[in-house]
């Protein structure tokens, strides 16, 4: 039996960064909003006090804040000839499992994508010609530009309390910031985080090579701060416990710290926790959604009617919900037709592990986004003429905070796995060992896609999502360049041992912890034949369904996705409030 709630103006599936930002905008406009969150309620003061927040075994090793694969996972294969098998660990799919979603445990790098990242097709063809696009790549423009999103990036950074330094303020290039970034209308709300010995070494070495280092924009507050919603945040203490952890100091930019406290004061907002949405419900004509069906923690089935349905779960979960709800035409790899599941992209990772002889990196000091980077080889910031690839990577070092358990595997090649020699190497490497990380662009390929697995099902009897993916030639060629540049910088830093690393040297695997930045599958664009969503993240087929998050990205940039996810959410919220509520139909002609 299905139980039915009273109808609301909007139902939001997933209360992470996307869901909380959308809920804040809609409730402030006067709409009644219900958010449905799969995980439990968590609260900064209660669930993340310093007495338990530094528990590395609980949060980092056992990943207590992530959705257990036993509840939901993906199946994975490298190509369509293989049988896909369920992933039994996290890595690719580090899905949040609480109010705040993945935004609770993220590291905090709060990037803006480059102007090129939103228009990779038109800018590549204009500069190099179509021959620059490697066979099989899916490269298409997003339908929005950097200039469209700039005001919304600015708004997100102020809500999140981002620390950084502008490198392009109203067209003026400013040394010390990222001179390759798109023009900003305003400075960051807070100055950059403090530097460390590691970031200083990196900046000195890369600058001496002619590159342009800067401190990474960080979702950790460098000073006391009050955001535009009235939430007060405390300055970061550089404890080193950010990624996979909550933040009891109110210093990390999370939905829990920045948005949810405001939402909970509004009478037109409510949240249902420990409840799993199964699908959006469609009207008989299939052109509008009537709400969603979900199962609560007591295994009771409910219907939540709503005029607007917003999918704002993790990227893969959004795609799966689209497929289960039969919204949009599924991608058919054999014919190349269909859009849902098409244009999947990941992250192209390479770099170098470096070991000094007698340094004091003091890696117990850190923050999730306390990093320095060069963007000289990111996006299209360098001339690709004569190269048979597009894209590149930001190259960075990370003073994230080395923890006793996690750092035990970071040792020079050939180190014994146990005994006195292992102890000696570990003691030395804790102060002397680190890595240079090339976080690269990723462009979709016709052979990389998502669909529903024909065999494996979840606890509700619904098909798991199947990922077919391997690195393509564009990935491998760009990764090799970044690998070489990372080795060059590592040697210039004075490292005694520099070991090149390159994830693309082997077949992709769900157990390669190269990145959890998965993208696409329900992408935005200008053509309903190649995109599931229009430029406002509105379904082409069901006009009152909006899909938020990295599932909208037709390609990945050489950055973390969160800042762009936030900006796009605020862009879509404005379109809903100012246009859709009156129009109640497609915002872009199909």
């Amino acid at each position: 039996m299905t139980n039915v709630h009273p109808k609301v103006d909007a139902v939001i599936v997933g209360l992470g960064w996307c869901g909380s930002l959308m809920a804040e905008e809609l409730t402030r406009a006067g709409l009644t909003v219900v958010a449905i969150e799969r995980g439990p309620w968590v609260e900064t003061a209660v669930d993340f006090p310093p007495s338990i927040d530094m528990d590395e075994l609980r949060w980092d090793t056992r990943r207590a804040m992530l959705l257990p694969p036993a509840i939901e996972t993906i199946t994975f294969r490298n190509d369509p000839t293989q049988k896909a098998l369920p992933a039994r660990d996290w890595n690719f799919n580090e899905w949040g499992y609480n109010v705040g979603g993945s935004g609770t445990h993220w590291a905090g790098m709060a990037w803006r994508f480059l102007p090129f990242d939103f228009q990779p097709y038109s800018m590549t063809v204009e500069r190099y010609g179509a021959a620059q696009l490697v066979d099989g790549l899916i490269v298409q423009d997003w339908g929005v530009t950097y200039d469209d999103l700039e005001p919304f990036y600015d708004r997100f950074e102020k809500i999140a309390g981002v620390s950084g330094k502008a490198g392009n303020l109203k067209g003026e290039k400013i040394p010390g910031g990222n001179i390759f970034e798109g023009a900003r209308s305003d400075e960051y709300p807070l100055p950059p985080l403090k530097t460390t010995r590691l970031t200083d070494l990196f900046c000195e070495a890369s600058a001496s090579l002619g590159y342009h280092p800067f401190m990474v924009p960080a979702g950790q507050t460098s000073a006391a701060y009050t955001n535009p919603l009235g939430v007060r945040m405390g300055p970061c203490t550089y404890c080193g416990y950010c990624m996979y952890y909550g933040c009891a100091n109110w210093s990390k930019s999370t939905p829990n710290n920045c948005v949810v406290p405001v939402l909970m004061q509004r009478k037109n907002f409510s949240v249902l926790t420990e409840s799993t949405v199964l699908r959006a419900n469609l009207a008989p004509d299939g052109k509008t959604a009537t709400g969603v069906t979900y199962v609560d923690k007591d295994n009771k089935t409910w219907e939540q009617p709503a005029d607007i349905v917003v999918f704002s779960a993790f990227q893969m979960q959004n795609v799966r919900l689209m497929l289960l709800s039969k919204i949009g035409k599924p991608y058919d790899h054999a014919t190349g037709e269909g859009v849902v599941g098409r244009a999947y992209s990941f992250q192209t990772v390479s770099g170098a592990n470096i070991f000094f002889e007698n340094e004091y990196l003091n890696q117990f000091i850190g923050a999730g986004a306390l990093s320095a980077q060069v963007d000289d080889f990111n996006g299209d910031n360098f001339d690709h003429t004569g190269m048979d690839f597009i894209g590149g990577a930001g190259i960075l070092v990370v003073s994230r905070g080395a923890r006793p358990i996690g750092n035990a595997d970071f040792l020079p090649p050939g180190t014994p796995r146990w005994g006195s020699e292992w102890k000696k190497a570990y003691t030395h490497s804790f102060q002397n060992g680190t890595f240079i990380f090339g976080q690269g662009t990723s462009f979709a390929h016709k052979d990389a896609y998502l669909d529903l697995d024909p065999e494996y099902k979840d606890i509700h009897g619904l098909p798991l999502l199947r990922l077919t993916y391997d690195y393509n030639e564009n990935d491998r060629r760009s990764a090799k360049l970044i690998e070489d540049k990372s080795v060059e910088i590592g040697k210039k830093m004075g490292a005694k041992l520099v070991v090149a690393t390159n994830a693309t040297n082997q077949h992709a695997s769900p157990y390669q912890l190269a990145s959890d930045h998965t993208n696409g599958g329900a992408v935005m664009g200008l053509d309903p034949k190649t995109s599931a969503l229009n430029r406002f993240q509105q379904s082409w087929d069901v006009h009152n369904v909006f899909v938020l998050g990295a599932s909208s990205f037709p390609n990945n940039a050489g950055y973390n996705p969160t800042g762009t996810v936030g900006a796009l959410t605020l862009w879509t919220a404005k379109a809903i409030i100012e246009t859709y509520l009156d129009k109640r139909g497609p915002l872009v002609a199909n």
Side-chain angles (χ1 to χ4, degrees), residues 111-276:
W111 292 103
R112 297 182 175 197
F113 282 12
L114 296 167
F116 167 81
D117 297 322
F118 298 103
Q119 299 172 281
Y121 179 81
S122 58
M123 288 189 176
T124 296
V125 171
E126 180 181 358
R127 185 174 183 182
Y128 307 106
Q132 190 75 19
L133 302 175
V134 186
D135 181 53
L137 281 188
I138 296 174
V139 182
Q140 59 194 59
D141 296 344
W142 293 37
V144 294
T145 66
Y146 173 84
D147 289 341
D148 289 331
L149 291 183
E150 198 285 328
F152 304 95
Y153 272 124
D154 183 71
R155 171 74 174 169
F156 174 76
E157 290 163 357
K158 288 173 177 171
I159 291 172
V162 175
S163 302
K165 178 176 175 57
N168 182 350
L169 188 57
K170 300 177 181 178
E172 179 186 354
K173 300 298 180 69
I174 304 173
N178 182 10
I179 63 169
F180 296 101
E181 69 178 345
R184 301 173 53 89
S185 60
D186 201 1
E187 189 45 279
Y188 284 97
L190 290 167
L193 296 176
K194 300 292 185 183
T195 64
T196 65
R197 176 61 176 161
L198 175 59
T199 61
D200 289 344
L201 285 169
F202 176 85
C203 289
E204 291 167 7
S206 56
S208 72
L209 291 167
Y211 307 145
H212 302 83
F214 58 93
M215 292 300 290
V216 167
Q220 285 90 25
T221 49
S222 60
Y225 179 70
T226 302
N227 79 3
L229 304 181
V231 177
R232 295 181 179 180
M233 304 178 71
C236 179
T237 59
Y238 303 91
C239 72
Y241 289 84
C242 284
M243 191 166 73
Y244 304 123
Y245 300 82
C247 181
N249 203 50
W250 293 84
S251 302
K252 189 167 75 165
S253 306
T254 69
N256 314 72
N257 290 344
C258 301
V259 185
V260 173
V262 175
L263 276 177
M264 298 311 295
Q265 303 301 314
R266 294 184 179 165
K267 294 181 180 180
N268 54 340
F269 174 78
S270 58
V271 56
L272 304 171
T273 60
E274 300 178 74
S275 299
T276 303

Side-chain angles (χ1 to χ4, degrees), residues 2 7 46 87 106 134 167 189 206 227 257 269 293 295 376 380 391 429 453 510 541:
T2 300
K7 188 178 183 181
V46 175
W106 75 310
V134 186
S206 56
N227 79 3
N257 290 344
F269 174 78
T293 294
V295 176
D376 298 71
D380 199 37
S429 293
D453 193 280
D541 299 274

Side-chain angles (χ1 to χ4, degrees), residues 393-446:
I395 303 174
L396 68 157
V397 291
V398 183
S399 289
R400 185 165 285 158
R403 293 173 288 280
I405 299 173
N407 217 50
D409 285 335
F410 193 83
L411 302 170
T415 301
R417 299 295 296 167
W418 61 282
S420 60
E421 289 302 310
W422 174 85
K423 293 178 182 179
K424 181 180 178 181
Y426 178 37
T427 302
H428 185 265
S429 293
F430 191 87
Q431 283 286 16
N432 289 277
T434 188
F435 58 90
I436 298 173
F437 182 60
Q439 183 168 238
T441 57
S442 176
F443 294 91
H445 191 275
K446 65 181 180 61

